[in-house]
Amino acid sequence: MSVKAILNEKGHNVVTVTEQVTVQQAATLLHENHIGAVVVVDAEERIVGIMTERDIVASIARYGAACLDKPVSSVMWQNVYCCREEMSVDALMEMMSKFRARHLPVEREGRLAGIVSIGDVVKYHIRAIENETEQIKAYIAG
């Protein structure tokens, strides 16, 4: 299975913000959408950063509650690790593990095409194990 197959199943929608949005506004989006990261994009939907729950917590620990009024650009990761739709799930897992990333934006021709989370990968593995179990049961019964 590829990243594209995961996106086709879960959808290509991504919650995005611009660099000028405040950390408080982004935190509200995370909460309202039950997600752990927002992708920061420019006007052409090019990825310029990513901000996660961890980034907000680190910012509060470092600067106090005043950080909530700062723009996302002051908290976000600018060196965003991205994956491509053609990437295999095994390669995706390796990348997530290597960079300790729970969320990887999917990039197509320099623009945001989706996002894959560690939860998406876990769902894929559970489904693969269930399918294999069913095939083994059918083989034994048949």
Side-chain angles (χ1 to χ4, degrees):
M1 182 180 241
S2 66
V3 169
K4 185 173 184 169
I6 290 174
L7 289 178
N8 287 342
E9 204 170 288
K10 77 173 254 182
H12 292 262
N13 293 339
V14 183
V15 176
T16 62
V17 296
T18 62
E19 293 178 276
Q20 296 78 27
V21 167
T22 67
V23 172
Q24 173 67 53
Q25 291 169 317
T28 299
L29 283 174
L30 292 174
H31 174 70
E32 289 174 346
N33 290 282
H34 307 285
I35 55 176
V38 291
V39 179
V40 185
V41 296
D42 64 14
E44 286 82 38
E45 290 294 308
R46 286 188 299 252
I47 302 164
V48 295
I50 189 167
M51 190 192 73
T52 69
E53 296 165 320
R54 284 180 168 182
D55 298 325
I56 295 171
V57 171
S59 184
I60 291 170
R62 213 174 293 130
Y63 307 112
C67 76
L68 296 173
D69 295 324
K70 292 184 177 191
V72 166
S73 60
S74 66
V75 175
M76 70 182 190
W77 279 82
Q78 292 179 349
N79 297 326
V80 182
Y81 302 113
C82 295
C83 62
R84 302 209 180 274
E85 292 175 308
E86 305 79 31
M87 186 178 277
S88 72
V89 173
D90 288 339
L92 175 68
M93 288 188 312
E94 187 176 314
M95 189 175 183
M96 288 178 137
S97 179
K98 178 180 178 182
F99 296 121
R100 299 177 50 92
R102 294 181 180 181
H103 304 87
L104 288 179
V106 182
E107 192 176 41
R108 182 188 323 125
E109 298 176 14
R111 292 198 165 64
L112 182 63
I115 191 165
V116 181
S117 72
I118 193 70
D120 299 324
V121 175
V122 169
K123 284 179 192 175
Y124 160 76
H125 272 290
I126 290 170
R127 199 169 34 258
I129 290 168
E130 288 172 345
N131 288 339
E132 185 178 352
T133 301
E134 290 303 314
Q135 289 175 359
I136 290 170
K137 285 179 183 178
Y139 177 76
I140 292 170

